[in-house]
Amino acid sequence: MQLADRVEKVPPYLFVEISRKIAAKKAQGIKVISFGIGDPDLATPSAVIDELRNTSLDTPNHRYPETDGLPEFRMAVSEWYKKRFNVELHPDTEVLPLIGAKEGIGHASLCFINPGDIALVPDPGYPVYSVGTWFAGGNCHWMNLKESEGWLPNLSEIPSDIAKKAKVMWLNYPNNPTGAIATKEYFQQVIEFAKSYDIAVMHDACYTEVAYDNYKPISFLEVEGAKDVGLEFHSLSKSYNMTGWRIGMAAGNKDMINALMIIKSNLDSGIPNAVQYMGIEALKATDEDISNRNNIYQQRRDRVVDALNQIGLSATAPLASLYVWVKVPTGYTSAEFAEILLEERNVVVTAGNGYGPSGEGYIRLSLTISEEDLQEGIERLKGWSIPKK
Ligand SMILES: *Cc1c(COP(=O)(O)O)cnc(C)c1O
């Protein structure tokens, strides 16, 4: 048997390795505290679960869903965008339900990338942007994010011959893994750049509802001209503690939505209807619901940042996202530091270089950890004196 290069050459998905390490420790009878994967530990709101309970009993919901989803879910998305961001979206042409943002992001490359084409991809970044590009036969031009530039791609560093050939640019704010945020002015520059080089902008906005200290993240689509050049990917996973139910959406340019619909209708058969009814209910969450949930993460964030600072790192509290992104001590690589933390304290963090070479020198800690584990994890951190290298 000969497997295709796309299978043979793709690096293992980041969290597969982490899961393996945790399993090895567990096999030795050791309890590991994991700040690894970003997967909300909090329950899906009970009204949303009730909707699953009720709608799953209706026989029509047992049949194939439509790829473009229930008109009621598309309408709910359109109304949510209006209420949350004051963005107008036609529910039938500018909204497309997804089986999670990851699915849509992975498939979007098939809309824009011919073999040999270039995608502009942030480094560090969520791995699906680059892997989706490779699966479509394209190549990545890495946009190196730097702390000194607020982890925003420096558009003037993209060589014009590359920009002329590039078909798509990937962005993600609030950002995973750095916790960075983008301003309207930055998005305006992106739109101008995209227009001058005819590049499609794909903005992954799956953390807009996870924010702290009264900060309200913006949508790319709020910015004038955004709909001319791009799409925004959204997810109910992080917003409403729904990672297990698999539901998200793409919104924006109607020709791009249609292209994604063409790809998806040939590969998948949509989101189970009962899960879409859950989505409709989830999108009804009030500002108070969201801020109550965010207060929990904010307290965790502050305790994690405090513990990291106590052991001599210099962590700052992010304004949004589920992650604390912090520099490792001098002399260590990201991987060495993550390794020694696991060895000496049985605490898992993600090595920054797992998100791309520019993540080297950092680690990421996720705030999606139960109260009990958080307490234990913080004690393990605080009781540690980092060996000098
Ligand atoms: C979690 C995450 C996703 C995946 O969202 P799903 O809707 O669960 O597929 C997409 N992008 C980023 C940056 C994420 O962190």
Side-chain angles (χ1 to χ4, degrees):
M1 179 182 62
Q2 278 184 31
L3 295 172
D5 287 352
R6 72 174 65 82
V7 179
E8 294 271 329
K9 293 192 178 157
V10 73
Y13 197 69
L14 189 54
F15 293 104
V16 174
E17 302 250 294
I18 295 172
S19 305
R20 240 183 246 141
K21 281 186 188 157
I22 297 175
K25 283 273 185 183
K26 272 193 186 147
Q28 299 167 45
I30 297 167
K31 177 163 165 71
V32 170
I33 300 293
S34 178
F35 291 95
I37 196 163
D39 184 356
D41 58 299
L42 304 169
T44 304
S46 60
V48 175
I49 299 290
D50 287 344
E51 204 54 18
L52 173 69
R53 220 192 306 266
N54 297 334
T55 58
S56 66
L57 298 176
D58 287 342
T59 314
N61 293 335
H62 300 184
R63 308 189 71 191
Y64 280 123
E66 301 288 345
T67 299
D68 59 354
L70 292 167
E72 298 92 319
F73 180 62
R74 293 196 306 268
M75 180 57 83
V77 169
S78 163
E79 286 170 358
W80 180 78
Y81 256 94
K82 176 71 190 163
K83 181 178 73 158
R84 172 67 178 84
F85 300 114
N86 199 25
V87 167
E88 307 270 358
L89 292 170
H90 193 293
D92 297 334
T93 55
E94 296 178 320
V95 173
L96 184 61
L98 301 172
I99 311 170
K102 185 180 186 182
E103 176 265 303
I105 291 166
H107 282 147
S109 288
L110 298 174
C111 300
F112 300 102
I113 300 289
N114 283 319
D117 280 348
I118 292 174
L120 305 172
V121 179
D123 158 30
Y126 181 63
V128 188
Y129 317 135
S130 52
V131 172
T133 304
W134 294 325
F135 282 179
N139 299 311
C140 298
H141 173 83
W142 302 107
M143 301 186 290
N144 307 124
L145 310 187
K146 299 178 203 80
E147 186 164 9
S148 59
E149 290 173 340
W151 306 105
L152 296 163
N154 184 333
L155 302 176
S156 65
E157 273 178 8
I158 301 168
S160 69
D161 59 321
I162 298 283
K164 278 180 196 147
K165 284 193 274 182
K167 298 289 159 62
V168 50
M169 174 189 283
W170 288 96
L171 294 174
N172 165 219
Y173 296 94
N175 185 259
N176 176 8
T178 66
I181 56 170
T183 59
K184 215 166 197 166
E185 292 68 36
Y186 183 76
F187 282 149
Q188 277 162 351
Q189 286 173 33
V190 168
I191 291 166
E192 211 170 292
F193 183 87
K195 284 191 172 168
S196 63
Y197 289 104
D198 195 16
I199 292 170
V201 178
M202 300 288 112
H203 182 241
D204 180 354
C206 74
Y207 292 102
T208 59
E209 305 317 293
V210 184
Y212 315 112
D213 305 332
N214 297 319
Y215 169 67
K216 270 259 192 215
I218 59 169
S219 161
F220 177 66
L221 300 178
E222 281 177 46
V223 183
E224 172 116 20
K227 255 200 235 176
D228 300 335
V229 298
L231 286 182
E232 184 156 85
F233 292 88
H234 238 290
S235 169
L236 274 54
S237 289
K238 318 290 170 36
S239 300
Y240 308 105
N241 310 330
M242 289 179 69
T243 48
W245 304 111
R246 313 308 306 133
I247 182 164
M249 61 274 199
N253 183 279
K254 68 176 176 15
D255 298 325
M256 298 181 189
I257 288 285
N258 187 49
L260 188 53
M261 170 68 186
I262 291 171
I263 297 291
K264 279 173 57 62
S265 61
N266 283 284
L267 291 174
D268 71 56
S269 300
I271 310 161
N273 285 347
V275 175
Q276 294 183 66
Y277 287 114
M278 294 173 82
I280 294 168
E281 184 62 36
L283 290 170
K284 293 178 188 161
T286 63
D287 289 352
E288 194 188 354
D289 296 332
I290 298 284
S291 78
N292 288 342
R293 191 276 318 273
N294 285 342
N295 283 342
I296 298 173
Y297 289 139
Q298 187 172 317
Q299 285 174 24
R300 294 178 183 177
R301 176 199 70 167
D302 292 342
R303 289 159 70 192
V304 167
V305 165
D306 179 54
L308 293 169
N309 288 333
Q310 274 196 35
I311 61 171
L313 302 184
S314 77
T316 50
L319 278 180
S321 88
L322 291 170
Y323 311 108
V324 175
W325 175 251
V326 60
K327 243 192 180 116
V328 300
T330 328
Y332 283 96
T333 65
S334 299
E336 284 166 355
F337 191 73
E339 192 82 40
I340 197 167
L341 190 48
L342 180 60
E343 270 323 304
E344 296 199 354
R345 307 306 289 171
N346 296 307
V347 168
V348 172
V349 298
T350 329
N353 62 318
Y355 299 90
S358 299
E360 180 51 56
Y362 292 82
I363 51 168
R364 192 195 80 168
L365 289 88
S366 167
L367 303 173
T368 56
I369 175 169
S370 71
E371 174 54 38
E372 192 191 336
D373 280 9
L374 179 71
Q375 191 54 41
E376 174 68 30
I378 280 175
E379 278 164 24
R380 289 185 191 184
L381 282 173
K382 284 185 174 171
W384 191 39
S385 69
I386 302 169
K388 284 268 176 297
K389 286 254 306 186

